[in-house]
Amino acid sequence: AQIRKGVSSIRKPALSFVCSKDTRIDINELENYGFNPDNTIIQLRPLLSENPADSMSEEDFSQLYSSLRESGYDVVLMPVSPSGVELKA
């Protein structure tokens, strides 16, 4: 859309995910919607929850990050706020 509008410096849109234990990101589905490594940045943040069973394990979070990077995506780890209030389930 930016190219069609004649924007000279193209900016990659960012998709942001707050990851719970149930978060699954299907790279093929992202690409089906036009979000590919050439035009998309992915932002990841773990969910903070009063119930640790709702949170994604560090191992799963690391694996998700690695799989996105290996697929060529620019991946940004978003910081968790000191209070974490806005993220608590």
Side-chain angles (χ1 to χ4, degrees):
Q2 294 178 57
I3 292 170
R4 285 193 307 266
K5 289 183 178 183
V7 176
S8 59
S9 102
I10 304 303
R11 294 185 179 181
K12 289 184 177 184
L15 297 177
S16 299
F17 296 92
V18 177
C19 302
S20 72
K21 67 177 174 79
D22 298 321
T23 300
R24 302 291 176 263
I25 300 174
D26 185 327
I27 293 166
N28 294 322
E29 282 298 310
L30 289 176
E31 291 183 0
N32 286 341
Y33 285 100
F35 300 109
N36 61 60
D38 294 330
N39 67 14
T40 306
I41 296 170
I42 305 237
Q43 298 178 336
L44 298 177
R45 180 186 315 201
L47 172 74
L48 296 180
S49 176
E50 297 293 330
N51 182 0
D54 294 334
S55 299
M56 181 178 274
S57 72
E58 286 184 39
E59 180 180 326
D60 288 343
F61 191 82
S62 178
Q63 184 177 9
L64 175 60
Y65 172 85
S66 295
S67 69
L68 290 165
R69 292 285 298 162
E70 289 168 6
S71 295
Y73 285 94
D74 294 327
V75 183
V76 176
L77 297 177
M78 296 183 297
V80 176
S81 70
S83 67
V85 171
E86 78 280 7
L87 299 176
K88 291 191 177 182

